[in-house]
Amino acid sequence: MKIAILSAFHPFRGGIAQFNGNLLAELGKTADVKAFNYSRQYPGFLFPGTTQYVEAGDDSFKVDAEAVLDTANPLNWPRAASKIRKWEPDLLLMRYVMPYFAPSLGYVARHAGRNTRVIAIADNVIPHERHFFDKPFTGYFLSGLDGCVTLCDAVNADLREWAPELPSRVIFHPLYTHFGEKLPREEAESRLGLLPGKRNLLFFGLIREYKGLDILLQAFSGLSEEYQLIIAGECYGPFDRYQELIDACPGKERIHVFRRYIADSEVKDYFSAADLTVLPYRSATQSGVSSASYHFEVPMVVTAVGGLEETIGNTGTGLVASSAEPEEIRRRIEEYFADSAIRERCVGAIRSESERLSWSSFVKELLNFAEDIR
């Protein structure tokens, strides 16, 4: 079987490129697979971070990918589709993250070749931050597909509302395993300059409004001196309001901020130091942060939104706050540390989930779905 994947690969950085690199490697064990990359993922003025690309020293997931699609240039789209079509894949996989990508990916989907099935792996159907063009763009993209895979039931429910006739399947987000082995806690704390002997809370990943860092900072302000907060990730937007909350916090000396993109080689430092990962999201689908937390066997406190309650609360790998309110987040954090048996149960559940959420299982279900819609 010949399988093409069109999405972001190295030298683009971030969770999507990491996922795609893992997927490419696993598919390549049993199929002839080719990676088709973006020549331009976003125009610079639309990208809120410092850079879209890996930098010197980043230990990123390097793959051999052909850059073909400029998402911002419609004149390029026929050429990109032609390059994929000439390779004659049996199956074309596309990652769908937000409606911005719908016009370019939708065009390619319609021109990939008569004998090529096109399946999207959709991280979201309804975006976290809404725009007037979301509905027509997403509808255009979905109508060009043969099938769609979602990574949690919540996104699949959204998909059913938008495209009830489109074949779909839920295949849960597999675990990232390329971050290396867990470090001794003392070594990780030393690397990060943390105070020893504290209960370490970790907020990890891109800092965006919907992820609720402000909620966690307000929750942390009511916790005792036993606790320490680690904030690690690049901020998409102004950091001023978060800094104001940090400055006003009674325990601000126990808040450690690493406000930058965390390279793959550094991820283990943060999770090896953490006792608990906190995802105080206002909205969510699934989270790559939870996949990394699983890999390092760090339980989580999450909010009851999107796929987080489904994938973490229902599996017993963490505790679920009933609302994205500081008092509720704080209550669940304190509950976790009040009983050592909770940690033991969560870690045991993580180990069970780790066996289920392998890349080989993900690929097997994906290929079965592709056969079902033949």
Side-chain angles (χ1 to χ4, degrees):
M1 179 182 243
K2 294 180 69 175
I3 303 174
I5 306 175
L6 174 60
S7 190
F9 291 92
H10 181 91
F12 295 106
R13 72 184 188 185
I16 299 300
Q18 292 166 352
F19 183 108
N20 293 335
N22 279 285
L23 177 61
L24 179 75
E26 190 63 37
L27 282 168
K29 294 177 181 179
T30 57
D32 183 7
V33 189
K34 184 168 182 177
F36 290 93
N37 206 351
Y38 297 127
S39 57
R40 177 166 53 168
Q41 182 176 212
Y42 302 101
F45 73 92
L46 289 180
F47 185 71
T50 55
T51 179
Q52 302 175 52
Y53 302 98
V54 298
E55 298 179 302
D58 286 357
D59 186 19
S60 60
F61 206 119
K62 297 179 177 65
V63 301
D64 182 17
E66 182 179 357
V68 298
L69 182 63
D70 182 342
T71 63
N73 181 7
L75 297 178
N76 158 267
W77 302 347
R79 189 182 318 136
S82 175
K83 288 185 177 181
I84 294 172
R85 190 168 57 248
K86 286 179 180 178
W87 194 65
E88 299 183 338
D90 302 297
L91 175 65
L92 171 60
L93 301 174
M94 297 176 164
R95 292 296 300 283
Y96 187 68
V97 182
M98 63 179 69
Y100 166 80
F101 293 99
S104 59
L105 293 180
Y107 180 91
V108 174
R110 286 166 169 78
H111 297 86
R114 183 177 300 177
N115 298 318
T116 299
R117 285 161 290 160
V118 183
I119 294 176
I121 300 174
D123 293 74
N124 306 288
V125 173
I126 300 173
H128 299 295
E129 289 124 356
R130 307 294 178 84
H131 305 87
F132 71 91
F133 52 78
D134 292 343
K135 187 171 183 177
F137 278 21
T138 301
Y140 169 73
F141 173 70
L142 294 175
S143 64
L145 301 176
D146 296 303
C148 186
V149 166
T150 64
L151 303 175
C152 68
D153 288 328
V155 175
N156 198 61
D158 293 338
L159 178 66
R160 296 273 56 80
E161 291 185 17
W162 287 62
E165 302 302 320
L166 182 66
S168 68
R169 184 165 298 178
V170 178
I171 311 177
F172 291 103
H173 196 307
L175 302 189
Y176 291 132
T177 57
H178 63 283
F179 294 130
E181 297 300 318
K182 191 169 186 175
L183 299 173
R185 178 192 178 96
E186 295 77 13
E187 180 181 346
E189 288 182 327
S190 177
R191 288 189 184 197
L192 299 177
L194 303 179
L195 300 169
K198 300 294 184 182
R199 296 171 170 176
N200 293 335
L201 309 176
L202 175 63
F203 180 96
F204 189 87
L206 295 176
I207 301 169
R208 303 177 70 174
E209 197 276 337
Y210 76 87
K211 292 191 175 184
L213 175 57
D214 56 322
I215 297 169
L216 178 54
L217 287 168
Q218 293 173 69
F220 184 79
S221 68
L223 291 171
S224 71
E225 293 184 0
E226 297 176 284
Y227 293 88
Q228 186 166 223
L229 176 59
I230 308 161
I231 302 168
E234 185 175 9
C235 187
Y236 279 12
F239 193 75
D240 298 2
R241 66 192 184 108
Y242 303 118
Q243 190 61 54
E244 289 175 2
L245 288 169
I246 292 171
D247 292 340
C249 181
K252 62 183 179 181
E253 73 282 353
R254 291 179 280 110
I255 300 176
H256 303 267
V257 181
F258 303 86
R259 187 157 56 94
R260 58 181 175 79
Y261 178 81
I262 308 301
D264 288 2
S265 60
E266 300 177 286
V267 170
K268 61 180 177 295
D269 298 349
Y270 297 90
F271 285 94
S272 298
D275 293 299
L276 186 68
T277 304
V278 186
L279 286 71
Y281 294 1
R282 292 181 167 90
S283 64
T285 48
Q286 62 285 315
S287 171
V289 174
S290 65
S291 177
S293 203
Y294 276 6
H295 174 63
F296 292 101
E297 296 189 350
V298 180
M300 288 159 278
V301 163
V302 304
T303 46
V305 294
L308 295 182
E309 181 174 19
E310 166 193 345
T311 57
I312 294 165
N314 293 349
T315 61
T317 58
L319 301 181
V320 178
S322 60
S323 64
E325 298 294 333
E327 295 78 10
E328 176 65 6
I329 299 294
R330 182 165 56 244
R331 184 180 73 82
R332 297 303 263 171
I333 291 171
E334 291 176 329
E335 178 185 350
Y336 174 80
F337 286 100
D339 185 355
S340 61
I342 294 177
R343 180 189 181 280
E344 293 175 6
R345 288 198 301 270
C346 289
V347 171
I350 286 173
R351 289 172 180 167
S352 296
E353 284 294 281
S354 296
E355 295 178 8
R356 183 176 70 89
L357 299 176
S358 67
W359 283 98
S360 60
S361 295
F362 182 90
V363 163
K364 181 179 180 181
E365 290 193 53
L366 174 63
L367 295 179
N368 286 341
F369 176 61
E371 286 298 316
D372 289 344
I373 63 172
R374 182 185 289 274

